[in-house]
Amino acid sequence: MSINESSTSKKIPIAHKATQYQQRRFFTIVGILFIISLFFIDVNLQAISAGIERLPGILREVTSLSFENFGAMLSAMLTTLVIAFLAVLISFSISFCISFLVANNTTPNKFVGVFSVIF
């Protein structure tokens, strides 16, 4: 038996009775709620079959590559990266300033340290 077979075929037994009981209770409750929910949903099988019939066309459109708007997409991606970088920079700056107020050993006044922790 190879290493991969032994690691994938063995299950870790749960010896703790309370955990086994919790798992059984959880999956029983989930199963009962699932069966109850089946009575309340309104499933339209005709709409599902129509959606399945349209699936090849949708997959064809999703998988087709088009580089017509590559410049606009590249610009939008760069804008997103700049916004993310600025958000990190601003949050780092704010947290760096606040960290000195929160630290008890560097705060000049205990009231300032307590006040900054509250807010």
Side-chain angles (χ1 to χ4, degrees):
M1 190 182 292
S2 69
I3 295 173
N4 290 337
E5 290 177 13
S6 65
S7 64
T8 58
S9 63
K10 290 185 179 180
K11 291 185 179 180
I12 299 174
I14 300 174
H16 194 251
K17 295 292 183 191
T19 305
Q20 289 177 346
Y21 177 72
Q22 279 182 327
Q23 281 186 341
R24 266 191 244 117
R25 187 174 55 185
F26 172 76
F27 287 115
T28 303
I29 290 171
V30 167
I32 291 170
L33 290 175
F34 177 74
I35 291 171
I36 291 172
S37 69
L38 290 177
F39 292 111
F40 290 102
I41 61 173
D42 183 28
V43 178
N44 187 354
L45 295 177
Q46 292 174 344
I48 292 174
S49 66
I52 291 174
E53 290 173 2
R54 292 185 300 150
L55 191 61
I58 293 171
L59 289 176
R60 197 175 319 109
E61 289 179 21
V62 169
T63 58
S64 66
L65 296 175
S66 174
F67 293 101
E68 294 174 0
N69 299 327
F70 185 72
M73 286 189 290
L74 187 63
S75 174
M77 285 189 281
L78 288 175
T79 303
T80 303
L81 288 175
V82 168
I83 290 171
F85 178 74
L86 288 176
V88 168
L89 190 66
I90 290 169
S91 63
F92 173 76
S93 302
I94 292 172
S95 64
F96 185 75
C97 295
I98 291 175
S99 68
F100 290 106
L101 292 175
V102 175
N104 289 332
N105 57 348
T106 59
T107 304
N109 188 350
K110 291 289 183 187
F111 178 73
V112 174
V114 173
F115 183 74
S116 62
V117 170
I118 292 172
F119 295 105

